[in-house]
Amino acid sequence: MMMKKFTTTMFALSICLYAGAQESVDMAAVQKIRKEGLENSKVMNLAYHITDVSGPRLSNSPGLKRAQDWAIKQFNEWGLKNVHLEAWGNFGKGWQVEKYYAATTLPYYHPIIASPKAWTPGTNGPIKSEVVLIKADTITDLDKYKGKLAGKIVMFDQMSNAALQNSYKADAVRHTDEALEKMAKDTLQVRRGGRPAGNNNQMAMMLKMRETRAAMVKLLLEEKVGLILTYARGSYGTFFTSNGASYALDAAPVSPELEVSSEDFLHMLRLLKGGEKVEMEAEIKTSYFDKDPQGYNVIAEIPGTDKKLKDELVMIGGHYDSWHSGTGATDNAAGSAVMMEAMRILKSIDFKPKRTIRIALWSSEEQGLFGSKGYVTKHFGDSKTMVLTPDQKKISAYYNLDNGTGAIRGIYLQGNVAAGPIFQSWLAPFSDIGAKTVTVNNTGGTDHQSFDAVGIPGFQFVQDPMDYNTRTHHSNMDTYDRLVEEDLKRSATIVASFVYNTSERAAQIPRKELPTPPPATAARP
Amino acid sequence: MMMKKFTTTMFALSICLYAGAQESVDMAAVQKIRKEGLENSKVMNLAYHITDVSGPRLSNSPGLKRAQDWAIKQFNEWGLKNVHLEAWGNFGKGWQVEKYYAATTLPYYHPIIASPKAWTPGTNGPIKSEVVLIKADTITDLDKYKGKLAGKIVMFDQMSNAALQNSYKADAVRHTDEALEKMAKDTLQVRRGGRPAGNNNQMAMMLKMRETRAAMVKLLLEEKVGLILTYARGSYGTFFTSNGASYALDAAPVSPELEVSSEDFLHMLRLLKGGEKVEMEAEIKTSYFDKDPQGYNVIAEIPGTDKKLKDELVMIGGHYDSWHSGTGATDNAAGSAVMMEAMRILKSIDFKPKRTIRIALWSSEEQGLFGSKGYVTKHFGDSKTMVLTPDQKKISAYYNLDNGTGAIRGIYLQGNVAAGPIFQSWLAPFSDIGAKTVTVNNTGGTDHQSFDAVGIPGFQFVQDPMDYNTRTHHSNMDTYDRLVEEDLKRSATIVASFVYNTSERAAQIPRKELPTPPPATAARP
């Protein structure tokens, strides 16, 4: 799941679920799916290959390529059809870490838990330097550093008020019955981008800070600074990563930059502010991969068999790319493994679907849902102009999974009220394993939005939160260890059942009104 | 606080607190102490010097020496008397890490969060090797590895069933009122060492495993193995450290050994068990310090002023040494800083005590309470023979703090029932800041036991648990960040008040019956 970038304003619309006629469910098929999914699961082995064996899967990195090649092989072994890598458009450079070493050497030796920011360059060999604390509120403040920073390791006086609070709350939680009941009664929350009202002062301050920051970045580059240390959110050895430079082929050069775990960053900051000399040594090597700037999704199918319906589609997917400091287990090997396992389950019960079932493992979700957007634009239509292809009418629904390892507890309707009673019936056989909640509400930040944007029913499931927001989402601790087998099994079983129902249903999933393309004036700032 | 090593059996003795006459409390003095301790605290600055500035303080390491030198300077600046380092006996070698670097290079590059085990040697320069998974249940199983391990990095198939569970409980907790009320009603729990009954099979299996393990260690050393990887308890980037070799001057040589964070250890283990090739590079350098094998405590005093009582003592202390992968903030810079701050408070209100007040910052607590035991043996008596010195009668009480950053919530009587009503009165002025609980019970694992063992009233306070057992006790995350200012302030204020009361009280704190030296047959296995 990518980071949500914009402040949102909430508008509550009072739309209630329409309690329509009961949807029929093929219980024999559900039983077969449950047996295969819950008693003969392969989901952990799939997750092992995506995480441990493939490694971090940053967009266009060798790790993503390894994972894609393996998925192609796996889909072919299962006998899926039309298995291929499909380019979605131009992405840019891949990147990976080839060496990371950093430690303080004064006031005493201490190894540092950190990671290079994605797409930043290395140190060009080992470096050793006093750590310089840069104090600058304005651009003029920077003058005093001119000519003094070549080869130096620097940090900013940021987060100095950050006290790492003891955690009196559990890292991992599951939805309570009460929370799920509340969710079921929710009204639709429409998220609209835009600046929050009445904060012109804050906005001006932020713009000024950005200006100073930009001048600083420029100065540091001109000065040929050795390494920039940046505070990374997180605690107790967990830190959250991000990118520090553009992945564009023609990106402007930047300085080497290290995202340092909060404990190690604050340790150095306190020492420097206390007047102690801090010295550090580091060696960082990173590589760029620009031979093929195109981005790819992995696609595979179980072809439809019904004369009238086989050209229609049910799609499932999840993004396959990850950040670089962990192995992207909950974000989103979990969702990818569950979706792959759903295909395996359907194949292994020898299901011959009416409609064609297609899986997509997206790439570059983390940079802006690029893989799914590119795919949707090519196959179904352009969300900017709302010019749609004939295929847009042939896809019944798209189901996505991208909220960590937590089991599916229900589904978000994204305001598609008419789909509510259908999904309620489809969830009924899974209430014993905790999945029963249908909420009219939206959830954002991932690939179902690309489909929803061109009027295709696109859904993301409600999942138990677990430690996704506290520990794993974009962190160095997003590893296989965080995956809960029972949860992934249940999710795969439920998805397989939804896909079965969607492919066999006489009619397609009902649609919302077509969205109107946003007017130019409503563009996000 | 050192690790408790022996299985204990609990015997509940029904001893109730004696409700004696009300103890008088000098409220004017308490008010002065509160004002200085709560409104003018220096405790965080003291803790900063012990942790950030001094670094890890493993027994006889340069870090401990730095911290001791600073404490001496600080005590002298405050005008304390008789400030000195005092040898408590022979310890052995100091040790510290000079370089730590380790990463997998196959199947892909990944830096490893880990620490050399204390007192283990380095790798003698950079090494790179396939990681060999050693599978051996018996000594004979080891034969197949002979002649094949020179320079290799090896790991054992340990913890393979370990699943790192999501944490559904908060890392940090405070005592609830209910827990404290229960504690107040507790009966005395006498801990007695000894083997648990009825597990001869388990015992035999354990002995056999130990034998195989010893043979393995011998083989690895003979083979000149490059590096041993060991699973370290912990999760999410936190790992717990220990020692991997003897600190004796004449210790037998051992192989280099790395304690690897659970995520990184299990990552490699899964890959090896899955048939993947894992390659690692590492460079570890450690140093030994054996010029002066003696261990030292820091001692300082506020001399007594009452003609009759000035030769009598009130002592306070906490251990100053730590493990090596963090900076020993909660174990036990916290207790040390609080005890130092208590001395500062008393000095700054210009207190002229009747009895002499003496602080001791112990060393080598982590290896077996050595600093306090050595001191007690020299000054007060031998707990093995129960031959006591005349000074044993001149010390009224010893107060210790060593359970992390959590505020004092009360005091353990260690079975000293007669002291209960006195302490109840002394705590009364602090019920508004949460300290009110007197429990007849014992707590163990730290330096008050050295005093208790020779019949001197030795006490440890009840503290809020916080994240001591879950995150910080002996971990790489035991850093300044974990210290909670308000808690340390409160603790220092309460300790200063207890010390004040003890020094001014007409009589000494009542004593328990003298312990009898344990008969030879009751020796621990």
Side-chain angles (χ1 to χ4, degrees), chain A residues 143-326:
Chain A
D143 288 346
K144 59 179 180 260
Y145 297 105
K146 278 182 185 159
K148 291 178 189 162
L149 299 179
K152 288 280 192 298
I153 300 174
V154 305
M155 68 193 304
F156 298 99
D157 187 3
Q158 61 175 151
M159 309 305 299
S160 52
N161 294 323
L164 293 179
Q165 291 301 313
N166 276 294
S167 164
Y168 300 101
K169 280 189 186 171
D171 285 325
V173 289
R174 290 188 181 277
H175 283 308
T176 59
D177 286 344
E178 293 70 36
L180 290 167
E181 278 162 28
K182 190 176 165 297
M183 218 179 267
K185 288 177 195 152
D186 258 5
T187 51
L188 185 64
Q189 308 286 314
V190 181
R191 286 161 190 269
R192 290 201 192 144
R195 73 175 65 167
N199 58 356
N200 283 338
N201 276 346
Q202 278 180 25
M203 201 64 185
M205 220 169 78
M206 213 176 74
L207 285 173
K208 205 177 157 211
M209 271 173 60
R210 250 190 227 173
E211 198 185 15
T212 312
R213 165 99 194 156
M216 238 176 237
V217 166
K218 189 166 162 281
L219 173 75
L220 293 175
L221 189 71
E222 285 166 2
E223 292 276 325
K224 296 190 170 38
V225 77
L227 183 61
I228 301 171
L229 308 179
T230 307
Y231 179 90
R233 192 170 56 85
S235 68
Y236 292 128
T238 302
F239 65 89
F240 295 87
T241 46
S242 60
N243 64 331
S246 165
Y247 41 81
L249 289 185
D250 60 351
V254 296
S255 305
E257 187 169 354
L258 200 58
E259 214 148 19
V260 181
S261 60
S262 54
E263 286 86 1
D264 287 334
F265 186 92
L266 294 174
H267 177 228
M268 289 186 276
L269 185 59
R270 284 190 302 268
L271 285 169
L272 289 169
K273 295 180 93 171
E276 304 290 328
K277 184 175 176 176
V278 178
E279 189 187 66
M280 238 184 93
E281 57 185 25
E283 186 178 359
I284 297 162
K285 193 177 171 219
T286 64
S287 289
Y288 297 92
F289 303 88
D290 55 8
K291 273 193 187 158
D292 181 2
Q294 292 217 90
Y296 296 89
N297 302 312
V298 182
I299 307 290
E301 289 180 357
I302 303 175
T305 56
D306 182 272
K307 256 191 292 184
K308 281 188 197 158
L309 297 176
K310 67 182 180 184
D311 289 339
E312 290 195 11
L313 271 180
V314 187
M315 279 193 75
I316 61 173
H319 76 91
Y320 208 46
D321 62 308
S322 78
W323 285 98
H324 56 294
S325 68

Side-chain angles (χ1 to χ4, degrees), chain A residues 83-101:
Chain A
V83 179
H84 65 286
L85 273 183
E86 184 174 319
W88 55 258
N90 189 64
F91 173 73
K93 296 179 280 192
W95 177 91
Q96 74 178 10
V97 178
E98 308 278 356
K99 171 142 190 179
Y100 164 71
Y101 168 70

